[in-house]
Amino acid sequence: MDSPTIQRRRWYILGVLTMSLLVVVLDNTILNVALKTIADPVKGLGATQSELEWSINSYTLVFAGLLFTFGVIGDRIGRKRVLIGGMAVFALASLVSAYAQTPDQLIYARALMGLGGAAVMPQTLSIITNVFEPHERARAIGIWAGAVGLGVAIGPLTGGLLLAHFWWGSVFLVNVPVIAVGIALMVFLVPDSRNPKPGRLDPLGVLLSVVGLVVLSYGIIRGGETGNWLGLPVVGPILAGFAVLALFVLHEARSDSPAFDVRLFRDPRLSAAVASIALCFFAASGVFFFANFYMQSVRGMAPLAAGAMLLPFAAAQLAFSARSALMVRRFGAKAVCTTGLLLVAGALASYRFIGTDTPMWILGVIFFVQGAGMANVMPPATESVMSALPREKAGAGSAINNVARQVAVAMGVAVLGSVVASVYRRDLHGDLAALPAGVREAAGESIEGAHGVAAQMGAAGQGLIEPANAAFVHAMHTASAAAAVIAFLGALVVFKWMPGRAAPAPAPGPAPAVEPAAPRRQEKAGV
């Protein structure tokens, strides 16, 4: 495909690439709404809190571990080929997930989806970087990032509609026809590109990163599950995970073709931008994980109604993402990113005012502010990452951006989910002791487990619902406060290290006809 044809089709190409991103984002937001149904032993798989966390983290950890590798593979063999292959794997894994019979099968199928998603994500941003010239690239990336907001809107609503009429597996099955249309459009519209000097693959780096993240996540989730953070089954995996990740960083720093080039972080534009993305998504993802349980379990909302509650977040994302490039040109990336993270921190801190009977419009306002904040973090931070690298290394830049986001999502769900589980179990300890031994563990695992036990016990179990709801809300307050602190630290990092707005270049024009001494007089006047 020649350059003039690509330029004529560039906005259609962006539309197709955004649709492929939308499928990946859509899947995760649909899953969040379906978690309560999957936890139901009758309507779903009877998954525990830790199994639900692994159904999310099996995807995100494989995704993050392979992103950089697929970025290099796309640079080497062609980004279009890898993009189409990744979409096909994602469709196959979605089909397997839809018909999973046990939580373990769902976890493994989700890991396969992570492999497909890892092949898709870096190619979309790499192709955008190659198709659009620098003067249009920031706007294109803003639209691309706005697809996240669209996915947040469409995902929960679509999931709610599907769960209202079909079984839980339909939330995965819906991906298949969308991907089929996307692949057909990619074949005809999307140009192929590659790096003329691609790097070598780094299988040892990939192995170390995946093993380190999985072991670390296991320890964190295990701590939340047992509540014994000082026990060897918890401390051992956490320390081992950190040790393996330290080996990974050491290996990458010495490798000629690293899977994740840690040396790129010497550029303050890139390092501060990646930190802002990671801290923002760490804070927000864990909150979204338990917010769905609050809406559906504590407040008794149907999946469709809970999905509709996220519309303010999505509206803010769509409204502000596309305008973020204009804001950056006017105020600079540092000011925009810092403001966005402060908005996110304020929104997360506001969860403290959410109780068991708070009017739901207050939660809608919090979602809107959170969406507005994130919309002013992702596009400028992503543009900072991509502009710090030459165009032929677009795959590496895209992978860094997405690795930061996905690792942050996995760690956010693991850490904040474990905080919720620990506080919930501690607050409910006295009420659990009064229950029969056979149902005590199920009630202590999650808010959905407590409601299930109350339903099984009939009138005798109704006294469990109110203290379980109160314990969960208190746990939510604790986790959201921690998330607010993380987002605020992100704002401090950006304010300290992200470069400010570059000074505008002087407008070209003919030199004024003045006396030779005039410039010196102007200089003394401060002009």
Side-chain angles (χ1 to χ4, degrees), residues 350-425:
S350 299
Y351 277 81
R352 177 66 182 81
F353 304 106
I354 300 297
T356 55
D357 57 356
T358 303
M360 294 305 291
W361 66 265
I362 295 178
L363 184 59
V365 171
I366 293 174
F367 282 152
F368 182 86
V369 175
Q370 186 175 339
M374 292 182 70
N376 284 293
V377 174
M378 271 295 288
T382 301
E383 170 62 14
S384 293
V385 171
M386 301 308 291
S387 63
L389 299 173
R391 181 175 289 194
E392 63 271 12
K393 289 189 176 181
S398 175
I400 288 173
N401 180 67
N402 287 299
V403 164
R405 187 164 57 83
Q406 292 299 328
V407 170
V409 168
M411 292 296 104
V413 169
V415 173
L416 297 180
S418 295
V419 169
V420 168
S422 296
V423 175
Y424 168 80
R425 184 180 296 104

Side-chain angles (χ1 to χ4, degrees), residues 476-493:
M476 183 177 73
H477 291 164
T478 305
S480 60
V485 171
I486 295 296
F488 182 73
L489 290 176
L492 294 180
V493 167

